[in-house]
């Protein structure tokens, strides 16, 4: 089944403890992206990648890192999480966002205490 | 910059009622337009899209027409079902970029 898989689905962590949210897609998509969803703010792009080793900032990149060492994987790294990063995170992938839009994963609900 | 404005919810309808969710946008050039649906506890699913002016996207009884003159992409369905209860997001992609710009979402609740 074609899909974007994120792990974990739920995570509670403490301020300052480094964490990684994994994302993998099995559709051979070149484009991958991370979004966060917050009440009243909709979805905002954190980072995106056009291909292996090619990444760039979205609208809200502060406090996040990404890497794209393989085409299928695009992990999101929070080196020192803070409470304002408590959110619902979505990974997404696409052949061509302008024509196909993005295919989204099921989401990761992160709580930083 | 690009922006998408949706009507605020929640929208509450009875089963078989007609649905309209308004979406207007501001963007450079000729953006592609999308509607996504998010069911409780799930990720976003692409509902329909339109990539040029006057295109009509349709899927599962939902329709939306790309109106360049009014910069709108309103979502419609002739007869909603309880199973349509979800949050609906309008989005755009401009200049063949990498980012989808989303509206704030509209929650639809359909009562039997």
């Amino acid at each position: 089944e074609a899909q974007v898989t994120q792990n974990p689905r739920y995570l509670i962590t403490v301020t300052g403890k480094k964490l990684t949210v994994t994302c993998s897609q099995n559709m051979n998509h070149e484009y991958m992206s991370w979004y966060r969803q917050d009440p009243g703010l909709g979805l905002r792009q954190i980072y995106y990648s056009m291909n292996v080793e090619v990444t760039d900032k979205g609208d809200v990149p502060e406090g996040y890192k990404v890497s794209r060492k393989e085409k299928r994987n695009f992990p999101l790294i929070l080196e020192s999480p803070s409470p304002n990063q408590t959110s619902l995170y979505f990974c997404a992938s696409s052949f061509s966002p302008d024509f196909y839009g993005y295919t989204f994963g099921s989401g990761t609900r992160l709580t930083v205490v | 910059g690009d922006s998408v404005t949706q009507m605020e919810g929640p929208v509450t309808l009875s089963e078989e009622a007609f649905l309209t969710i308004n979406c207007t946008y501001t963007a450079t050039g000729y953006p592609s337009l999308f509607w996504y649906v998010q069911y409780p506890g799930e990720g976003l699913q692409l509902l329909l899209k339109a990539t040029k002016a006057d295109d009509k996207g349709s899927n599962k009884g939902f329709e939306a027409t790309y109106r360049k003159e009014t910069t709108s992409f309103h979502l419609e369905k002739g007869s909603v079902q309880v199973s349509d209860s979800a949050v609906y997001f309008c989005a755009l992609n401009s200049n063949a970029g990498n980012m989808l710009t989303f509206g704030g979402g509209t929650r639809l609740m359909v009562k039997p």
Side-chain angles (χ1 to χ4, degrees):
Chain A
E1 179 189 353
Q3 60 187 0
V4 177
T5 303
Q6 296 178 230
N7 281 296
R9 288 294 307 274
Y10 301 92
L11 179 60
I12 301 174
T13 190
V14 297
T15 298
K17 185 177 181 181
K18 181 179 178 179
L19 67 91
T20 299
V21 183
T22 64
C23 173
S24 181
Q25 52 95 2
N26 62 359
M27 296 168 281
N28 202 35
H29 286 167
E30 261 127 29
Y31 294 86
M32 296 188 75
S33 183
W34 277 101
Y35 283 82
R36 61 179 286 174
Q37 182 180 16
D38 301 291
L41 297 177
L43 285 90
R44 295 175 293 168
Q45 191 183 52
I46 303 170
Y47 268 94
Y48 65 87
S49 170
M50 296 171 63
N51 212 325
V52 175
E53 302 292 1
V54 181
T55 63
D56 207 348
K57 297 176 181 178
D59 281 343
V60 288
E62 295 77 19
Y64 304 94
K65 284 177 56 176
V66 293
S67 69
R68 188 95 181 269
K69 293 185 170 59
E70 307 164 280
K71 196 171 187 178
R72 64 183 292 122
N73 296 323
F74 190 47
L76 179 69
I77 303 157
L78 285 73
E79 297 250 340
S80 182
S82 62
N84 65 11
Q85 292 178 298
T86 292
S87 187
L88 179 57
Y89 291 86
F90 288 102
C91 182
S93 71
S94 179
F95 275 125
S96 175
D98 63 327
F99 190 79
Y100 296 104
Y102 274 106
T103 299
F104 284 81
S106 298
T108 295
R109 185 166 293 282
L110 172 66
T111 302
V112 183
V113 298
Chain B
D2 297 344
S3 67
V4 177
T5 302
Q6 292 180 233
M7 58 191 293
E8 288 196 21
V11 173
T12 304
L13 296 173
S14 297
E15 207 164 23
E16 299 184 2
F18 185 86
L19 168 71
T20 300
I21 300 178
N22 289 337
C23 170
T24 57
Y25 67 88
T26 302
T28 54
Y30 301 92
S32 296
L33 302 172
F34 305 88
W35 276 101
Y36 280 84
V37 58
Q38 185 179 31
Y39 298 103
E42 297 185 13
L44 281 76
Q45 301 174 25
L46 180 64
L47 182 59
L48 53 85
K49 67 182 175 93
T51 57
K52 61 182 188 295
D54 299 325
D55 269 1
K56 177 186 284 189
S58 62
N59 186 26
K60 299 180 181 179
F62 290 90
E63 292 183 340
T65 301
Y66 188 160
R67 303 283 188 203
K68 189 174 184 305
E69 63 276 12
T70 55
T71 61
S72 65
F73 193 53
H74 305 321
L75 183 68
E76 297 181 335
K77 186 175 186 183
S79 175
V80 294
Q81 306 300 312
V82 172
S83 57
D84 293 327
S85 298
V87 180
Y88 292 82
F89 290 91
C90 185
L92 69 81
N93 175 287
S94 68
N95 297 323
N98 303 292
M99 184 166 66
L100 287 183
T101 299
F102 285 86
T106 302
R107 182 175 299 279
L108 170 66
M109 295 191 295
V110 181
K111 298 183 175 179

